[in-house]
Amino acid sequence: MPSRYAPLRAAAGELLLADLLTDRALRDLHARLYENVWTWAGLYRQRELSIGIDPVMIAVELRSTLENLLYRWEHTSDWTAKQLAMATHAEAVRIHPFVDGNGRSTRLLADLVLLAATPDDEPAVVLDWDLDKSLYIPALRRFDQARDPSELTDLVDLVAVEED
């Protein structure tokens, strides 16, 4: 199980974007979240589902997508940290690498990306995932078409990270 202080570690600069935006990081996160639930935790799905990409393409697509997001973040300035986090989540959901547990693991990854991408002089925040699914699901589909995280970013509020 991941440390319950992982968001604080990301906010403290201990988790770097280059470490988070990797296929290994997402597999690791999924494995840690579900290792006590499923024997296949952290393993890519091997069968077709009604959502997601062809299982044969998961590893390559996830790796290249996350590398592209990191490259864009490092070489452009048109996205906010929140937009990067939402794009990370939406891309991972689009790929749908696992049989189950994709939503929870990709939402956690997005929160960690947000914390790692937020400048040190700004307060630590995470995404408020308590949102209207009737608006969220169509916005995810529109992201798939345009690759623009703006609509998703507008739907999801931020909440402050509180230390225990």
Side-chain angles (χ1 to χ4, degrees):
M1 196 72 166
S3 163
R4 65 187 275 241
Y5 299 106
L8 296 177
R9 289 183 52 228
E14 295 173 20
L15 297 176
L16 305 176
L17 281 174
D19 298 326
L20 293 169
L21 290 174
T22 67
D23 58 317
R24 182 171 190 86
L26 183 56
R27 281 181 308 172
D28 226 26
L29 193 58
H30 189 272
R32 288 173 181 237
L33 285 170
Y34 297 110
E35 65 190 352
N36 294 325
V37 179
W38 300 311
T39 57
W40 48 266
L43 301 177
Y44 294 143
R45 65 182 163 83
Q46 299 295 309
R47 61 184 166 92
E48 286 281 343
L49 299 175
S50 60
I51 57 176
I53 65 170
D54 184 328
V56 174
M57 296 302 300
I58 290 171
V60 171
E61 182 74 11
L62 188 59
R63 186 174 304 118
S64 67
T65 297
L66 295 174
E67 286 175 357
N68 286 340
L69 288 170
L70 180 61
Y71 183 88
R72 179 179 179 150
W73 179 255
E74 291 176 341
H75 294 90
T76 67
S77 59
D78 60 334
W79 277 357
T80 64
K82 185 178 178 185
Q83 287 173 312
L84 174 65
M86 288 308 303
T88 300
H89 166 69
E91 288 287 7
V93 166
R94 175 185 64 81
I95 294 167
H96 205 83
F98 311 107
V99 173
D100 203 354
N102 290 280
R104 184 168 291 152
S105 56
T106 62
R107 287 190 301 269
L108 179 54
L109 178 62
D111 284 335
L112 295 173
V113 165
L114 176 60
L115 288 165
T118 299
D120 293 339
D121 60 341
E122 293 183 22
V125 293
V126 292
L127 298 154
D128 182 357
W129 293 105
D130 185 21
L131 49 104
D132 185 342
K133 282 190 177 182
S134 69
L135 299 174
Y136 171 69
I137 301 299
L140 273 175
R141 289 188 182 118
R142 285 188 289 278
F143 174 88
D144 288 348
Q145 300 301 312
R147 295 298 194 274
D148 179 0
S150 299
E151 182 182 1
L152 286 166
T153 303
D154 291 343
L155 281 176
V156 181
D157 292 326
L158 298 173
V159 293
V161 173
E162 297 179 20
E163 295 186 44
D164 288 18

PDB file of all heavy atoms in Angstrom, residues 30-65:
ATOM      1  N   HIS A  30      -0.705   1.206  -9.283  1.00  0.00           N
ATOM      2  CA  HIS A  30      -1.813   0.248  -9.360  1.00  0.00           C
ATOM      3  C   HIS A  30      -1.512  -0.986  -8.505  1.00  0.00           C
ATOM      4  O   HIS A  30      -2.368  -1.453  -7.754  1.00  0.00           O
ATOM      5  CB  HIS A  30      -2.054  -0.148 -10.815  1.00  0.00           C
ATOM      6  CG  HIS A  30      -3.288  -0.948 -11.036  1.00  0.00           C
ATOM      7  ND1 HIS A  30      -3.297  -2.321 -10.946  1.00  0.00           N
ATOM      8  CD2 HIS A  30      -4.552  -0.571 -11.332  1.00  0.00           C
ATOM      9  CE1 HIS A  30      -4.518  -2.760 -11.197  1.00  0.00           C
ATOM     10  NE2 HIS A  30      -5.303  -1.708 -11.430  1.00  0.00           N
ATOM     11  N   ALA A  31      -0.291  -1.477  -8.591  1.00  0.00           N
ATOM     12  CA  ALA A  31       0.089  -2.657  -7.812  1.00  0.00           C
ATOM     13  C   ALA A  31      -0.013  -2.381  -6.306  1.00  0.00           C
ATOM     14  O   ALA A  31      -0.535  -3.203  -5.550  1.00  0.00           O
ATOM     15  CB  ALA A  31       1.507  -3.095  -8.173  1.00  0.00           C
ATOM     16  N   ARG A  32       0.463  -1.230  -5.883  1.00  0.00           N
ATOM     17  CA  ARG A  32       0.424  -0.904  -4.454  1.00  0.00           C
ATOM     18  C   ARG A  32      -1.007  -0.692  -3.965  1.00  0.00           C
ATOM     19  O   ARG A  32      -1.328  -1.047  -2.837  1.00  0.00           O
ATOM     20  CB  ARG A  32       1.269   0.323  -4.162  1.00  0.00           C
ATOM     21  CG  ARG A  32       2.744   0.047  -4.265  1.00  0.00           C
ATOM     22  CD  ARG A  32       3.549   1.311  -4.139  1.00  0.00           C
ATOM     23  NE  ARG A  32       4.945   1.038  -4.266  1.00  0.00           N
ATOM     24  CZ  ARG A  32       5.830   1.368  -3.340  1.00  0.00           C
ATOM     25  NH1 ARG A  32       5.479   1.984  -2.252  1.00  0.00           N
ATOM     26  NH2 ARG A  32       7.101   1.079  -3.522  1.00  0.00           N
ATOM     27  N   LEU A  33      -1.846  -0.117  -4.818  1.00  0.00           N
ATOM     28  CA  LEU A  33      -3.239   0.095  -4.427  1.00  0.00           C
ATOM     29  C   LEU A  33      -4.002  -1.220  -4.294  1.00  0.00           C
ATOM     30  O   LEU A  33      -4.866  -1.355  -3.431  1.00  0.00           O
ATOM     31  CB  LEU A  33      -3.955   0.985  -5.446  1.00  0.00           C
ATOM     32  CG  LEU A  33      -3.638   2.466  -5.409  1.00  0.00           C
ATOM     33  CD1 LEU A  33      -4.228   3.167  -6.629  1.00  0.00           C
ATOM     34  CD2 LEU A  33      -4.173   3.095  -4.125  1.00  0.00           C
ATOM     35  N   TYR A  34      -3.697  -2.177  -5.155  1.00  0.00           N
ATOM     36  CA  TYR A  34      -4.531  -3.383  -5.265  1.00  0.00           C
ATOM     37  C   TYR A  34      -3.821  -4.699  -4.978  1.00  0.00           C
ATOM     38  O   TYR A  34      -4.389  -5.759  -5.207  1.00  0.00           O
ATOM     39  CB  TYR A  34      -5.160  -3.423  -6.660  1.00  0.00           C
ATOM     40  CG  TYR A  34      -6.068  -2.258  -6.904  1.00  0.00           C
ATOM     41  CD1 TYR A  34      -5.713  -1.259  -7.811  1.00  0.00           C
ATOM     42  CD2 TYR A  34      -7.263  -2.127  -6.216  1.00  0.00           C
ATOM     43  CE1 TYR A  34      -6.549  -0.174  -8.026  1.00  0.00           C
ATOM     44  CE2 TYR A  34      -8.096  -1.050  -6.430  1.00  0.00           C
ATOM     45  CZ  TYR A  34      -7.733  -0.074  -7.336  1.00  0.00           C
ATOM     46  OH  TYR A  34      -8.556   0.996  -7.540  1.00  0.00           O
ATOM     47  N   GLU A  35      -2.589  -4.647  -4.462  1.00  0.00           N
ATOM     48  CA  GLU A  35      -1.845  -5.893  -4.246  1.00  0.00           C
ATOM     49  C   GLU A  35      -2.549  -6.853  -3.289  1.00  0.00           C
ATOM     50  O   GLU A  35      -2.361  -8.065  -3.395  1.00  0.00           O
ATOM     51  CB  GLU A  35      -0.426  -5.590  -3.771  1.00  0.00           C
ATOM     52  CG  GLU A  35      -0.361  -4.929  -2.408  1.00  0.00           C
ATOM     53  CD  GLU A  35       1.035  -4.418  -2.087  1.00  0.00           C
ATOM     54  OE1 GLU A  35       1.975  -4.711  -2.841  1.00  0.00           O
ATOM     55  OE2 GLU A  35       1.183  -3.720  -1.080  1.00  0.00           O
ATOM     56  N   ASN A  36      -3.352  -6.333  -2.399  1.00  0.00           N
ATOM     57  CA  ASN A  36      -4.074  -7.201  -1.453  1.00  0.00           C
ATOM     58  C   ASN A  36      -5.452  -7.582  -1.963  1.00  0.00           C
ATOM     59  O   ASN A  36      -6.199  -8.257  -1.258  1.00  0.00           O
ATOM     60  CB  ASN A  36      -4.197  -6.507  -0.096  1.00  0.00           C
ATOM     61  CG  ASN A  36      -2.854  -6.313   0.562  1.00  0.00           C
ATOM     62  OD1 ASN A  36      -1.965  -7.148   0.443  1.00  0.00           O
ATOM     63  ND2 ASN A  36      -2.684  -5.190   1.235  1.00  0.00           N
ATOM     64  N   VAL A  37      -5.783  -7.155  -3.179  1.00  0.00           N
ATOM     65  CA  VAL A  37      -7.104  -7.423  -3.736  1.00  0.00           C
ATOM     66  C   VAL A  37      -7.016  -8.385  -4.919  1.00  0.00           C
ATOM     67  O   VAL A  37      -7.757  -9.359  -4.992  1.00  0.00           O
ATOM     68  CB  VAL A  37      -7.781  -6.098  -4.178  1.00  0.00           C
ATOM     69  CG1 VAL A  37      -9.154  -6.359  -4.788  1.00  0.00           C
ATOM     70  CG2 VAL A  37      -7.890  -5.128  -3.003  1.00  0.00           C
ATOM     71  N   TRP A  38      -6.116  -8.094  -5.861  1.00  0.00           N
ATOM     72  CA  TRP A  38      -6.019  -8.874  -7.094  1.00  0.00           C
ATOM     73  C   TRP A  38      -4.598  -9.385  -7.300  1.00  0.00           C
ATOM     74  O   TRP A  38      -3.631  -8.656  -7.110  1.00  0.00           O
ATOM     75  CB  TRP A  38      -6.378  -8.020  -8.314  1.00  0.00           C
ATOM     76  CG  TRP A  38      -7.747  -7.447  -8.293  1.00  0.00           C
ATOM     77  CD1 TRP A  38      -8.922  -8.099  -8.036  1.00  0.00           C
ATOM     78  CD2 TRP A  38      -8.114  -6.085  -8.556  1.00  0.00           C
ATOM     79  NE1 TRP A  38      -9.976  -7.236  -8.129  1.00  0.00           N
ATOM     80  CE2 TRP A  38      -9.517  -5.993  -8.443  1.00  0.00           C
ATOM     81  CE3 TRP A  38      -7.396  -4.938  -8.883  1.00  0.00           C
ATOM     82  CZ2 TRP A  38     -10.204  -4.809  -8.642  1.00  0.00           C
ATOM     83  CZ3 TRP A  38      -8.086  -3.757  -9.090  1.00  0.00           C
ATOM     84  CH2 TRP A  38      -9.470  -3.702  -8.970  1.00  0.00           C
ATOM     85  N   THR A  39      -4.470 -10.619  -7.737  1.00  0.00           N
ATOM     86  CA  THR A  39      -3.148 -11.174  -8.031  1.00  0.00           C
ATOM     87  C   THR A  39      -2.516 -10.495  -9.245  1.00  0.00           C
ATOM     88  O   THR A  39      -1.307 -10.491  -9.394  1.00  0.00           O
ATOM     89  CB  THR A  39      -3.227 -12.691  -8.310  1.00  0.00           C
ATOM     90  OG1 THR A  39      -4.139 -12.911  -9.390  1.00  0.00           O
ATOM     91  CG2 THR A  39      -3.686 -13.449  -7.072  1.00  0.00           C
ATOM     92  N   TRP A  40      -3.323  -9.926 -10.096  1.00  0.00           N
ATOM     93  CA  TRP A  40      -2.836  -9.265 -11.305  1.00  0.00           C
ATOM     94  C   TRP A  40      -2.635  -7.756 -11.116  1.00  0.00           C
ATOM     95  O   TRP A  40      -2.417  -7.025 -12.094  1.00  0.00           O
ATOM     96  CB  TRP A  40      -3.767  -9.536 -12.491  1.00  0.00           C
ATOM     97  CG  TRP A  40      -5.221  -9.306 -12.179  1.00  0.00           C
ATOM     98  CD1 TRP A  40      -6.131 -10.245 -11.774  1.00  0.00           C
ATOM     99  CD2 TRP A  40      -5.921  -8.060 -12.207  1.00  0.00           C
ATOM    100  NE1 TRP A  40      -7.347  -9.648 -11.565  1.00  0.00           N
ATOM    101  CE2 TRP A  40      -7.250  -8.303 -11.826  1.00  0.00           C
ATOM    102  CE3 TRP A  40      -5.551  -6.758 -12.526  1.00  0.00           C
ATOM    103  CZ2 TRP A  40      -8.211  -7.307 -11.745  1.00  0.00           C
ATOM    104  CZ3 TRP A  40      -6.511  -5.759 -12.448  1.00  0.00           C
ATOM    105  CH2 TRP A  40      -7.826  -6.042 -12.066  1.00  0.00           C
ATOM    106  N   ALA A  41      -2.656  -7.275  -9.913  1.00  0.00           N
ATOM    107  CA  ALA A  41      -2.465  -5.842  -9.655  1.00  0.00           C
ATOM    108  C   ALA A  41      -1.147  -5.372 -10.265  1.00  0.00           C
ATOM    109  O   ALA A  41      -0.111  -6.011 -10.091  1.00  0.00           O
ATOM    110  CB  ALA A  41      -2.481  -5.561  -8.159  1.00  0.00           C
ATOM    111  N   GLY A  42      -1.192  -4.272 -10.992  1.00  0.00           N
ATOM    112  CA  GLY A  42       0.001  -3.711 -11.617  1.00  0.00           C
ATOM    113  C   GLY A  42       0.347  -4.325 -12.959  1.00  0.00           C
ATOM    114  O   GLY A  42       1.313  -3.903 -13.590  1.00  0.00           O
ATOM    115  N   LEU A  43      -0.424  -5.303 -13.407  1.00  0.00           N
ATOM    116  CA  LEU A  43      -0.170  -5.942 -14.704  1.00  0.00           C
ATOM    117  C   LEU A  43      -1.159  -5.414 -15.734  1.00  0.00           C
ATOM    118  O   LEU A  43      -2.346  -5.255 -15.449  1.00  0.00           O
ATOM    119  CB  LEU A  43      -0.309  -7.462 -14.592  1.00  0.00           C
ATOM    120  CG  LEU A  43       0.617  -8.144 -13.587  1.00  0.00           C
ATOM    121  CD1 LEU A  43       0.317  -9.636 -13.517  1.00  0.00           C
ATOM    122  CD2 LEU A  43       2.073  -7.900 -13.957  1.00  0.00           C
ATOM    123  N   TYR A  44      -0.676  -5.164 -16.934  1.00  0.00           N
ATOM    124  CA  TYR A  44      -1.545  -4.687 -18.001  1.00  0.00           C
ATOM    125  C   TYR A  44      -2.561  -5.753 -18.382  1.00  0.00           C
ATOM    126  O   TYR A  44      -2.260  -6.947 -18.344  1.00  0.00           O
ATOM    127  CB  TYR A  44      -0.739  -4.314 -19.236  1.00  0.00           C
ATOM    128  CG  TYR A  44       0.175  -3.131 -19.040  1.00  0.00           C
ATOM    129  CD1 TYR A  44       1.417  -3.096 -19.638  1.00  0.00           C
ATOM    130  CD2 TYR A  44      -0.211  -2.040 -18.268  1.00  0.00           C
ATOM    131  CE1 TYR A  44       2.257  -2.009 -19.490  1.00  0.00           C
ATOM    132  CE2 TYR A  44       0.627  -0.950 -18.104  1.00  0.00           C
ATOM    133  CZ  TYR A  44       1.851  -0.939 -18.714  1.00  0.00           C
ATOM    134  OH  TYR A  44       2.676   0.129 -18.554  1.00  0.00           O
ATOM    135  N   ARG A  45      -3.718  -5.294 -18.781  1.00  0.00           N
ATOM    136  CA  ARG A  45      -4.757  -6.236 -19.207  1.00  0.00           C
ATOM    137  C   ARG A  45      -4.321  -6.937 -20.488  1.00  0.00           C
ATOM    138  O   ARG A  45      -3.580  -6.373 -21.303  1.00  0.00           O
ATOM    139  CB  ARG A  45      -6.103  -5.549 -19.366  1.00  0.00           C
ATOM    140  CG  ARG A  45      -6.188  -4.527 -20.446  1.00  0.00           C
ATOM    141  CD  ARG A  45      -7.572  -3.856 -20.487  1.00  0.00           C
ATOM    142  NE  ARG A  45      -7.476  -2.635 -21.257  1.00  0.00           N
ATOM    143  CZ  ARG A  45      -7.529  -2.576 -22.580  1.00  0.00           C
ATOM    144  NH1 ARG A  45      -7.715  -3.681 -23.282  1.00  0.00           N
ATOM    145  NH2 ARG A  45      -7.402  -1.420 -23.204  1.00  0.00           N
ATOM    146  N   GLN A  46      -4.795  -8.151 -20.662  1.00  0.00           N
ATOM    147  CA  GLN A  46      -4.425  -8.971 -21.807  1.00  0.00           C
ATOM    148  C   GLN A  46      -5.592  -9.216 -22.752  1.00  0.00           C
ATOM    149  O   GLN A  46      -5.433  -9.891 -23.766  1.00  0.00           O
ATOM    150  CB  GLN A  46      -3.880 -10.329 -21.323  1.00  0.00           C
ATOM    151  CG  GLN A  46      -2.646 -10.202 -20.469  1.00  0.00           C
ATOM    152  CD  GLN A  46      -1.470  -9.647 -21.246  1.00  0.00           C
ATOM    153  OE1 GLN A  46      -1.138 -10.147 -22.312  1.00  0.00           O
ATOM    154  NE2 GLN A  46      -0.856  -8.600 -20.729  1.00  0.00           N
ATOM    155  N   ARG A  47      -6.757  -8.681 -22.400  1.00  0.00           N
ATOM    156  CA  ARG A  47      -7.922  -8.929 -23.242  1.00  0.00           C
ATOM    157  C   ARG A  47      -8.599  -7.623 -23.628  1.00  0.00           C
ATOM    158  O   ARG A  47      -8.436  -6.608 -22.963  1.00  0.00           O
ATOM    159  CB  ARG A  47      -8.905  -9.855 -22.537  1.00  0.00           C
ATOM    160  CG  ARG A  47      -9.454  -9.326 -21.233  1.00  0.00           C
ATOM    161  CD  ARG A  47     -10.363 -10.374 -20.562  1.00  0.00           C
ATOM    162  NE  ARG A  47     -10.637 -10.026 -19.199  1.00  0.00           N
ATOM    163  CZ  ARG A  47     -11.679  -9.320 -18.798  1.00  0.00           C
ATOM    164  NH1 ARG A  47     -12.560  -8.885 -19.670  1.00  0.00           N
ATOM    165  NH2 ARG A  47     -11.866  -9.047 -17.525  1.00  0.00           N
ATOM    166  N   GLU A  48      -9.338  -7.692 -24.718  1.00  0.00           N
ATOM    167  CA  GLU A  48     -10.093  -6.539 -25.193  1.00  0.00           C
ATOM    168  C   GLU A  48     -11.231  -6.235 -24.226  1.00  0.00           C
ATOM    169  O   GLU A  48     -11.829  -7.144 -23.654  1.00  0.00           O
ATOM    170  CB  GLU A  48     -10.695  -6.818 -26.579  1.00  0.00           C
ATOM    171  CG  GLU A  48      -9.714  -6.789 -27.704  1.00  0.00           C
ATOM    172  CD  GLU A  48      -9.357  -5.377 -28.136  1.00  0.00           C
ATOM    173  OE1 GLU A  48     -10.081  -4.420 -27.810  1.00  0.00           O
ATOM    174  OE2 GLU A  48      -8.340  -5.251 -28.824  1.00  0.00           O
ATOM    175  N   LEU A  49     -11.490  -4.950 -24.060  1.00  0.00           N
ATOM    176  CA  LEU A  49     -12.634  -4.489 -23.294  1.00  0.00           C
ATOM    177  C   LEU A  49     -13.439  -3.555 -24.189  1.00  0.00           C
ATOM    178  O   LEU A  49     -12.982  -3.179 -25.270  1.00  0.00           O
ATOM    179  CB  LEU A  49     -12.181  -3.745 -22.031  1.00  0.00           C
ATOM    180  CG  LEU A  49     -11.352  -4.524 -21.018  1.00  0.00           C
ATOM    181  CD1 LEU A  49     -10.883  -3.598 -19.899  1.00  0.00           C
ATOM    182  CD2 LEU A  49     -12.159  -5.683 -20.444  1.00  0.00           C
ATOM    183  N   SER A  50     -14.595  -3.148 -23.730  1.00  0.00           N
ATOM    184  CA  SER A  50     -15.403  -2.217 -24.520  1.00  0.00           C
ATOM    185  C   SER A  50     -14.814  -0.807 -24.495  1.00  0.00           C
ATOM    186  O   SER A  50     -15.216   0.055 -25.266  1.00  0.00           O
ATOM    187  CB  SER A  50     -16.843  -2.197 -24.013  1.00  0.00           C
ATOM    188  OG  SER A  50     -16.868  -1.784 -22.660  1.00  0.00           O
ATOM    189  N   ILE A  51     -13.852  -0.568 -23.604  1.00  0.00           N
ATOM    190  CA  ILE A  51     -13.158   0.718 -23.541  1.00  0.00           C
ATOM    191  C   ILE A  51     -11.660   0.462 -23.589  1.00  0.00           C
ATOM    192  O   ILE A  51     -11.197  -0.650 -23.363  1.00  0.00           O
ATOM    193  CB  ILE A  51     -13.532   1.510 -22.260  1.00  0.00           C
ATOM    194  CG1 ILE A  51     -13.227   0.698 -21.018  1.00  0.00           C
ATOM    195  CG2 ILE A  51     -14.984   1.927 -22.293  1.00  0.00           C
ATOM    196  CD1 ILE A  51     -13.475   1.435 -19.735  1.00  0.00           C
ATOM    197  N   GLY A  52     -10.906   1.514 -23.877  1.00  0.00           N
ATOM    198  CA  GLY A  52      -9.451   1.385 -23.899  1.00  0.00           C
ATOM    199  C   GLY A  52      -8.941   0.946 -25.252  1.00  0.00           C
ATOM    200  O   GLY A  52      -9.698   0.673 -26.177  1.00  0.00           O
ATOM    201  N   ILE A  53      -7.632   0.888 -25.350  1.00  0.00           N
ATOM    202  CA  ILE A  53      -6.995   0.525 -26.615  1.00  0.00           C
ATOM    203  C   ILE A  53      -6.713  -0.977 -26.648  1.00  0.00           C
ATOM    204  O   ILE A  53      -6.864  -1.677 -25.643  1.00  0.00           O
ATOM    205  CB  ILE A  53      -5.695   1.331 -26.826  1.00  0.00           C
ATOM    206  CG1 ILE A  53      -4.637   0.969 -25.777  1.00  0.00           C
ATOM    207  CG2 ILE A  53      -5.975   2.833 -26.805  1.00  0.00           C
ATOM    208  CD1 ILE A  53      -3.262   1.542 -26.071  1.00  0.00           C
ATOM    209  N   ASP A  54      -6.261  -1.443 -27.791  1.00  0.00           N
ATOM    210  CA  ASP A  54      -5.890  -2.844 -27.977  1.00  0.00           C
ATOM    211  C   ASP A  54      -4.830  -3.213 -26.940  1.00  0.00           C
ATOM    212  O   ASP A  54      -3.829  -2.497 -26.792  1.00  0.00           O
ATOM    213  CB  ASP A  54      -5.338  -3.013 -29.394  1.00  0.00           C
ATOM    214  CG  ASP A  54      -5.005  -4.444 -29.751  1.00  0.00           C
ATOM    215  OD1 ASP A  54      -4.615  -5.237 -28.872  1.00  0.00           O
ATOM    216  OD2 ASP A  54      -5.112  -4.774 -30.943  1.00  0.00           O
ATOM    217  N   PRO A  55      -5.017  -4.307 -26.220  1.00  0.00           N
ATOM    218  CA  PRO A  55      -4.060  -4.689 -25.173  1.00  0.00           C
ATOM    219  C   PRO A  55      -2.618  -4.810 -25.663  1.00  0.00           C
ATOM    220  O   PRO A  55      -1.684  -4.534 -24.918  1.00  0.00           O
ATOM    221  CB  PRO A  55      -4.566  -6.046 -24.676  1.00  0.00           C
ATOM    222  CG  PRO A  55      -5.951  -6.156 -25.130  1.00  0.00           C
ATOM    223  CD  PRO A  55      -6.125  -5.249 -26.310  1.00  0.00           C
ATOM    224  N   VAL A  56      -2.417  -5.184 -26.906  1.00  0.00           N
ATOM    225  CA  VAL A  56      -1.070  -5.326 -27.461  1.00  0.00           C
ATOM    226  C   VAL A  56      -0.352  -3.978 -27.488  1.00  0.00           C
ATOM    227  O   VAL A  56       0.873  -3.914 -27.396  1.00  0.00           O
ATOM    228  CB  VAL A  56      -1.146  -5.931 -28.885  1.00  0.00           C
ATOM    229  CG1 VAL A  56       0.214  -5.965 -29.551  1.00  0.00           C
ATOM    230  CG2 VAL A  56      -1.764  -7.302 -28.837  1.00  0.00           C
ATOM    231  N   MET A  57      -1.108  -2.887 -27.559  1.00  0.00           N
ATOM    232  CA  MET A  57      -0.532  -1.553 -27.696  1.00  0.00           C
ATOM    233  C   MET A  57      -0.383  -0.799 -26.373  1.00  0.00           C
ATOM    234  O   MET A  57       0.185   0.284 -26.344  1.00  0.00           O
ATOM    235  CB  MET A  57      -1.405  -0.712 -28.635  1.00  0.00           C
ATOM    236  CG  MET A  57      -1.462  -1.244 -30.050  1.00  0.00           C
ATOM    237  SD  MET A  57       0.173  -1.360 -30.812  1.00  0.00           S
ATOM    238  CE  MET A  57       0.694   0.337 -30.761  1.00  0.00           C
ATOM    239  N   ILE A  58      -0.864  -1.358 -25.276  1.00  0.00           N
ATOM    240  CA  ILE A  58      -0.895  -0.631 -24.013  1.00  0.00           C
ATOM    241  C   ILE A  58       0.480  -0.136 -23.581  1.00  0.00           C
ATOM    242  O   ILE A  58       0.661   1.045 -23.290  1.00  0.00           O
ATOM    243  CB  ILE A  58      -1.548  -1.475 -22.894  1.00  0.00           C
ATOM    244  CG1 ILE A  58      -3.049  -1.619 -23.166  1.00  0.00           C
ATOM    245  CG2 ILE A  58      -1.310  -0.841 -21.522  1.00  0.00           C
ATOM    246  CD1 ILE A  58      -3.766  -2.602 -22.243  1.00  0.00           C
ATOM    247  N   ALA A  59       1.455  -1.008 -23.515  1.00  0.00           N
ATOM    248  CA  ALA A  59       2.776  -0.622 -22.998  1.00  0.00           C
ATOM    249  C   ALA A  59       3.390   0.499 -23.826  1.00  0.00           C
ATOM    250  O   ALA A  59       3.858   1.502 -23.278  1.00  0.00           O
ATOM    251  CB  ALA A  59       3.706  -1.832 -22.960  1.00  0.00           C
ATOM    252  N   VAL A  60       3.373   0.354 -25.133  1.00  0.00           N
ATOM    253  CA  VAL A  60       3.978   1.355 -26.009  1.00  0.00           C
ATOM    254  C   VAL A  60       3.211   2.670 -25.943  1.00  0.00           C
ATOM    255  O   VAL A  60       3.802   3.742 -25.829  1.00  0.00           O
ATOM    256  CB  VAL A  60       4.033   0.829 -27.463  1.00  0.00           C
ATOM    257  CG1 VAL A  60       4.440   1.920 -28.433  1.00  0.00           C
ATOM    258  CG2 VAL A  60       4.975  -0.355 -27.555  1.00  0.00           C
ATOM    259  N   GLU A  61       1.896   2.603 -26.023  1.00  0.00           N
ATOM    260  CA  GLU A  61       1.072   3.811 -26.023  1.00  0.00           C
ATOM    261  C   GLU A  61       1.177   4.558 -24.698  1.00  0.00           C
ATOM    262  O   GLU A  61       1.296   5.782 -24.686  1.00  0.00           O
ATOM    263  CB  GLU A  61      -0.393   3.451 -26.312  1.00  0.00           C
ATOM    264  CG  GLU A  61      -1.317   4.632 -26.382  1.00  0.00           C
ATOM    265  CD  GLU A  61      -1.167   5.463 -27.642  1.00  0.00           C
ATOM    266  OE1 GLU A  61      -0.493   5.022 -28.588  1.00  0.00           O
ATOM    267  OE2 GLU A  61      -1.722   6.577 -27.673  1.00  0.00           O
ATOM    268  N   LEU A  62       1.139   3.844 -23.593  1.00  0.00           N
ATOM    269  CA  LEU A  62       1.229   4.494 -22.292  1.00  0.00           C
ATOM    270  C   LEU A  62       2.596   5.154 -22.123  1.00  0.00           C
ATOM    271  O   LEU A  62       2.687   6.321 -21.713  1.00  0.00           O
ATOM    272  CB  LEU A  62       0.972   3.501 -21.167  1.00  0.00           C
ATOM    273  CG  LEU A  62       0.845   4.084 -19.771  1.00  0.00           C
ATOM    274  CD1 LEU A  62      -0.291   5.103 -19.691  1.00  0.00           C
ATOM    275  CD2 LEU A  62       0.631   2.980 -18.759  1.00  0.00           C
ATOM    276  N   ARG A  63       3.642   4.440 -22.464  1.00  0.00           N
ATOM    277  CA  ARG A  63       4.997   4.991 -22.338  1.00  0.00           C
ATOM    278  C   ARG A  63       5.160   6.241 -23.204  1.00  0.00           C
ATOM    279  O   ARG A  63       5.610   7.285 -22.730  1.00  0.00           O
ATOM    280  CB  ARG A  63       6.034   3.947 -22.725  1.00  0.00           C
ATOM    281  CG  ARG A  63       7.470   4.393 -22.489  1.00  0.00           C
ATOM    282  CD  ARG A  63       8.476   3.279 -22.746  1.00  0.00           C
ATOM    283  NE  ARG A  63       8.183   2.115 -21.934  1.00  0.00           N
ATOM    284  CZ  ARG A  63       7.871   0.901 -22.431  1.00  0.00           C
ATOM    285  NH1 ARG A  63       7.836   0.704 -23.727  1.00  0.00           N
ATOM    286  NH2 ARG A  63       7.608  -0.107 -21.625  1.00  0.00           N
ATOM    287  N   SER A  64       4.775   6.164 -24.465  1.00  0.00           N
ATOM    288  CA  SER A  64       4.968   7.313 -25.353  1.00  0.00           C
ATOM    289  C   SER A  64       4.065   8.478 -24.968  1.00  0.00           C
ATOM    290  O   SER A  64       4.485   9.642 -25.034  1.00  0.00           O
ATOM    291  CB  SER A  64       4.762   6.919 -26.813  1.00  0.00           C
ATOM    292  OG  SER A  64       3.424   6.572 -27.061  1.00  0.00           O
ATOM    293  N   THR A  65       2.857   8.205 -24.526  1.00  0.00           N
ATOM    294  CA  THR A  65       1.943   9.274 -24.123  1.00  0.00           C
ATOM    295  C   THR A  65       2.477  10.017 -22.907  1.00  0.00           C
ATOM    296  O   THR A  65       2.478  11.256 -22.880  1.00  0.00           O
ATOM    297  CB  THR A  65       0.539   8.693 -23.831  1.00  0.00           C
ATOM    298  OG1 THR A  65       0.021   8.131 -25.042  1.00  0.00           O
ATOM    299  CG2 THR A  65      -0.400   9.750 -23.307  1.00  0.00           C
TER     300      THR A  65
END
